Amino acid sequence: MQRVRSGHGDSSDNPVLAVNDLSVEYRTGGDPVRAVRDVSIQVDAGETVGIAGESGSGKSTLALAILKYLGESGHVTSGDIQYEGRSIFDLSPKELRSIRGSEIAHVPQDPKTSLNPSIRVGNQIAEVLQTHRDLSRDAAMEQTYEVLREVNIPTPETNAKQYPHELSGGQQQRVLLAMALACQPQLLILDEPTTGLDVTTQAKILDLIEDLIDRREASVLLITHDLGVIAQIADRVGIMYAGEILERGETEAVFNSPANPYTQGLLASLPQGSGRRLKPIPGQIGDLTDIPQGCVFADRCEFAEEECKHGDIEDEAVGGNTSHLTRCRRWEHAVENPIEPDTRFRTETQRASEEPLLEVNNVRKYFGEESIFDRLFGGEPPVKAVDGVSFDVHESETLGIVGESGCGKSTLGSVLLGLLPLTDGTISYDGQSISEMDSSTMKDFRSECQIVFQNPHSSLNPKHTVGQAIKRPLEMFTDRSESEQRERVAELLNQVGLNPDYASRYPRDLSGGEKQRVAIARAFSVNPSFVVLDEPVSALDVSVQASILNLLAQLREEYGSSYLLISHDLSVVNYISDRVAVMYLGKFAEVGPVESIFEPPYHPYTRALLSSIPSTDPTVNEDRIHLEGDVPSARDPPSGCPFHTRCPQKIGDVCERDVPGLNEIGSSKGSHRVACHLEEEEMIPSADEVSAGLVSTPDDSSD
């Protein structure tokens, strides 16, 4: 879908939301944290305004201030917030409660923590309607079913009875949207609505938001660090850094002709295709208790001069266009000499041996296996999370595993390391079956095979310092002395770009990117040969993501390690992988070299994933291949081809009856294999499909 942009500027006389010179600080005992400073934004009727920037820029604080949700430590120190011409600071508590949820709705970032785990989702939505619309219980439930249907929740009467944990991540996000839309608000505030979602679920959520905006004529304030999401649905955008808006204007102007070094740096941080180095913004957001003089971005800006570090920096109209403003004294120099992505290629690692390091043969992992009583009395069948996959990984090689949530990717990673027991099949490491290892060999295996989990917040013990976390594998798997361990910790912290004094800090003192660096340092502390990377950058903003990916590429070169990279971000997979396996419902749909996966012929599922990658170019046609419904239950997978229930190229009964084998295609001598009943020529998009934008690649998304 390509949305017709409203073309609003900043000059509407009757905006739905007007934030004027807003400043917010948090007071927690020490110096106040000046989280938002002199911010002005405006959202007109039927308009979507995006706010983008790194974590810690003040985006979520801005959203909470609009709702007066700052809590006891948060204080608005200056400025005003007006909703439909009336200051929210003039509203009584009763008036404010009546507006929240009914006229202004907020969709928070994480549905797992925002939905009450002990209340059925239908009851949570109905409660909003009963509170704000004074409906009876029956009437509220009827409207609940309607709004669930509107956000594409299947069989709403059934799913309304589910608890949050019984729904997928995408369904949970849709429930939050349904709750926000239940009372037909005038203004929607969406805080990271697609973070952590796979590309097809993200595409569905974005299409849903666009459709609801158009049908309901709602106004939206969209907060995200995903520049592709902003480019796709926002009419105007504000680029926020360290509490200030550094650039704002119509999305097309800001993204295609950025006039602030920070905006240029964010865009240059995006993956540019297979093998190219990434260019992160150096440094990180400074201490917001001690705001520097002059430009707040000067310490990280490659264009900064001494004059940038003194005095107040005012907004300037770019090329005389008052709807495109930048807070930069050297914007003309930045426009003439823009920050470009790194065009150099990273060093290619060579296989140290043609013999595979890891061999996986027909591996299955079922949960809740059937007992004889289940078979006799009709018990529930097992969940077939991984259902017969085979592959190998060579030394110094990265195999990427991609697919939607619920396809079995993370389960496979856990099975490979012995964190979950096998149901069937064999896994051999360095020529020896894992199931036949004795305790001594298993200890060596544990030392040589490590994992970096998706969420560093939960994988680091909050009661242990950074040094203790990194030192733990050294204590378990080496005979280094205490002083040698401390030296190794300092060396590792330097390698991941952190000062050695971080060893005395606790996880609570670190940003998300810093925590992930610590998790990587811990994984590499014992020089592993094989590392499972489970969504290592999915929740990180683009500059931190670039730093982490460069770090992983560097460590692979230094240690000669092999990676199994699990990700739903195809741009990340394309950047760092040598080969890719596309996984669907526990099976591989396509396997091949990275360059083969991102070029036709494609499996229909791979084509759909590629078409769902959002582009950062607002002018790009975003027509997508839409997959109907969600991934089927692995407890009762479809017969025949597992993808046939959603496949836009299904050819008939053969798809429902016969399971396709992984057959070689193309000219890559057997290394590119696809499990599909289609003929090879049918897997190649037509010229009309390409011109319609139905096939895109990560390279296209970053141009």
Side-chain angles (χ1 to χ4, degrees):
M1 176 187 294
Q2 185 175 30
R3 185 161 176 251
V4 178
R5 300 182 185 276
S6 66
H8 288 281
D10 278 339
S11 57
S12 173
D13 293 330
N14 298 298
V16 173
L17 175 72
V19 178
N20 301 309
D21 301 321
L22 182 72
S23 294
V24 178
E25 65 182 31
Y26 291 99
R27 301 166 188 167
T28 56
D31 293 331
V33 177
R34 299 171 63 191
V36 173
R37 297 180 309 285
D38 301 321
V39 166
S40 297
I41 60 168
Q42 184 171 302
V43 184
D44 295 336
E47 182 185 36
T48 298
V49 174
I51 302 293
E54 294 171 284
S55 300
S57 291
K59 305 184 301 295
S60 294
T61 294
L62 174 62
L64 295 174
I66 293 168
L67 292 157
K68 291 193 73 175
Y69 274 155
L70 288 171
E72 293 183 3
S73 62
H75 301 271
V76 174
T77 57
S78 64
D80 192 20
I81 302 169
Q82 294 193 349
Y83 170 69
E84 293 197 329
R86 187 176 179 188
S87 173
I88 66 167
F89 302 116
D90 294 336
L91 300 177
S92 67
K94 182 179 180 180
E95 289 173 319
L96 194 59
R97 282 194 302 270
S98 69
I99 287 177
R100 290 174 181 159
S102 62
E103 296 184 43
I104 303 177
H106 178 224
V107 179
Q109 181 170 349
D110 186 358
K112 293 181 178 64
T113 57
S114 303
L115 292 170
N116 191 320
S118 62
I119 300 178
R120 300 178 195 274
V121 295
N123 291 341
Q124 295 187 53
I125 298 171
E127 182 182 8
V128 175
L129 289 161
Q130 288 177 285
T131 300
H132 293 289
R133 292 290 183 262
D134 197 25
L135 298 179
S136 67
R137 166 72 179 172
D138 290 344
M141 288 308 300
E142 283 301 316
Q143 288 200 21
T144 294
Y145 301 146
E146 288 181 20
V147 74
L148 284 173
R149 198 171 288 112
E150 192 173 9
V151 298
N152 297 327
I153 293 287
T155 57
E157 291 82 1
T158 300
N159 278 309
K161 299 175 184 177
Q162 304 297 308
Y163 290 96
H165 72 273
E166 297 176 302
L167 302 177
S168 69
Q171 288 175 328
Q172 290 176 358
Q173 193 71 321
R174 278 178 258 179
V175 167
L176 278 181
L177 273 174
M179 196 178 302
L181 294 167
C183 294
Q184 301 188 355
Q186 286 291 106
L187 176 64
L188 271 173
I189 300 176
L190 307 177
D191 192 353
E192 301 281 8
T194 61
T195 294
L197 300 180
D198 58 67
V199 287
T200 56
T201 304
Q202 172 179 282
K204 289 177 185 176
I205 294 294
L206 294 178
D207 282 346
L208 173 63
I209 292 169
E210 288 188 277
D211 183 54
L212 294 170
I213 291 168
D214 292 338
R215 282 193 288 111
R216 295 193 175 202
E217 296 184 349
S219 303
V220 175
L221 181 65
L222 172 66
I223 293 168
T224 182
H225 63 252
D226 191 326
L227 301 179
V229 171
I230 292 276
Q232 184 173 332
I233 69 172
D235 300 300
R236 289 187 295 112
V237 62
I239 305 298
M240 197 166 184
Y241 177 79
E244 299 180 11
I245 300 284
L246 296 191
E247 185 169 9
R248 54 194 165 108
E250 293 183 6
T251 305
E252 185 175 335
V254 172
F255 278 21
N256 289 347
S257 303
N260 192 284
Y262 180 56
T263 309
Q264 293 179 356
L266 290 177
L267 292 168
S269 298
L270 295 168
Q272 303 297 315
S274 180
R276 293 189 185 275
R277 295 185 183 183
L278 300 181
K279 188 174 184 177
I281 301 172
Q284 59 188 27
I285 293 176
D287 184 0
L288 296 184
T289 64
D290 184 20
I291 306 300
Q293 291 292 314
C295 176
V296 72
F297 184 61
D299 286 345
R300 302 174 69 189
C301 179
E302 62 183 74
F303 298 139
E305 295 183 343
E306 188 60 30
E307 65 167 326
C308 300
K309 301 180 180 181
H310 302 283
D312 294 332
I313 310 297
E314 304 292 339
D315 287 337
E316 296 192 27
V318 178
N321 180 3
T322 56
S323 67
H324 185 184
L325 302 176
T326 182
R327 189 168 290 187
C328 178
R329 286 178 178 160
R330 307 201 68 217
W331 69 266
E332 291 173 311
H333 177 79
V335 169
E336 292 171 1
N337 305 275
I339 298 171
E340 300 284 358
D342 196 331
T343 57
R344 295 173 298 168
F345 285 87
R346 54 185 169 80
T347 304
E348 291 296 324
T349 53
Q350 302 296 321
R351 287 184 179 179
S353 169
E354 287 302 313
E355 294 298 317
L357 177 68
L358 184 79
E359 295 178 272
V360 178
N361 184 40
N362 202 30
V363 161
R364 289 179 167 83
K365 175 57 187 174
Y366 295 173
F367 293 97
E369 294 183 65
E370 285 181 298
S371 67
I372 187 171
F373 296 103
D374 291 327
R375 290 192 288 270
L376 289 173
F377 300 107
E380 284 193 325
V383 174
K384 298 178 180 180
V386 179
D387 196 16
V389 300
S390 300
F391 61 93
D392 53 36
V393 180
H394 290 76
E395 291 183 25
S396 302
E397 182 185 39
T398 298
L399 174 66
I401 307 288
V402 301
E404 294 170 282
S405 299
C407 285
K409 306 185 300 296
S410 293
T411 299
L412 175 61
S414 296
V415 166
L416 295 182
L417 297 185
L419 302 178
L420 291 172
L422 274 175
T423 298
D424 195 13
T426 59
I427 301 172
S428 297
Y429 176 76
D430 204 15
Q432 184 170 0
S433 172
I434 293 175
S435 61
E436 297 175 1
M437 290 181 177
D438 57 28
S439 58
S440 175
T441 309
M442 179 56 72
K443 183 177 180 181
D444 292 339
F445 172 75
R446 298 283 189 208
S447 171
E448 293 186 25
C449 299
Q450 296 289 316
I451 187 168
V452 177
F453 292 101
Q454 176 176 357
N455 187 352
H457 308 289
S458 57
S459 62
L460 294 175
N461 190 324
K463 295 183 180 180
H464 288 177
T465 65
V466 166
Q468 290 172 319
I470 298 174
K471 192 171 67 171
R472 180 60 175 158
L474 297 171
E475 295 171 337
M476 294 177 64
F477 300 121
T478 74
D479 56 2
R480 293 177 186 240
S481 67
E482 182 69 25
S483 62
E484 290 173 329
Q485 290 177 14
R486 286 196 299 270
E487 289 176 6
R488 178 61 175 154
V489 168
E491 178 188 2
L492 287 159
L493 286 170
N494 273 322
Q495 280 187 311
V496 299
L498 297 176
N499 193 295
D501 66 13
Y502 271 64
S504 61
R505 301 188 186 187
Y506 287 88
R508 64 175 180 269
D509 302 322
L510 310 182
S511 69
E514 288 172 336
K515 289 177 186 176
Q516 196 64 294
R517 288 172 185 265
V518 170
I520 291 170
R522 179 176 61 183
F524 279 87
S525 61
V526 286
N527 302 340
S529 300
F530 178 69
V531 183
V532 173
L533 304 168
D534 191 355
E535 301 279 9
V537 296
S538 64
L540 303 179
D541 54 63
V542 291
S543 183
V544 177
Q545 172 182 285
S547 298
I548 295 296
L549 291 175
N550 279 345
L551 171 64
L552 290 171
Q554 172 194 332
L555 292 173
R556 186 175 74 164
E557 293 169 17
E558 290 183 11
Y559 290 94
S561 301
S562 303
Y563 293 157
L564 184 84
L565 172 66
I566 297 167
S567 181
H568 62 251
D569 189 328
L570 292 164
S571 301
V572 169
V573 169
N574 190 34
Y575 166 72
I576 202 171
S577 299
D578 300 298
R579 291 187 295 129
V580 178
V582 181
M583 195 168 187
Y584 185 79
L585 211 57
K587 298 177 182 292
F588 284 168
E590 185 168 1
V591 182
V594 64
E595 62 272 12
S596 298
I597 296 296
F598 291 102
E599 295 290 340
Y602 308 108
H603 187 283
Y605 182 53
T606 307
R607 287 181 64 186
L609 294 178
L610 290 171
S611 77
S612 298
I613 301 171
S615 170
T616 53
D617 184 350
T619 64
V620 168
N621 190 334
E622 287 290 346
D623 286 334
R624 286 187 288 268
I625 298 172
H626 292 270
L627 298 180
E628 297 297 327
D630 296 315
V631 178
S633 170
R635 190 181 294 280
D636 185 24
S639 59
C641 173
F643 187 57
H644 83 257
T645 58
R646 303 171 73 201
C647 182
Q649 293 179 267
K650 179 181 173 182
I651 56 177
D653 292 343
V654 65
C655 298
E656 300 178 10
R657 184 182 64 246
D658 300 334
V659 178
L662 271 171
N663 300 313
E664 71 174 79
I665 62 169
S667 57
S668 49
K669 300 180 181 180
S671 60
H672 185 194
R673 294 175 291 148
V674 174
C676 186
H677 294 297
L678 293 171
E679 297 294 331
E680 183 172 328
E681 57 270 18
E682 294 177 291
M683 301 181 199
I684 300 175
S686 67
D688 289 342
E689 288 175 309
V690 173
S691 63
L694 288 174
V695 179
S696 62
T697 71
D699 289 13
D700 298 330
S701 72
S702 303
D703 288 344

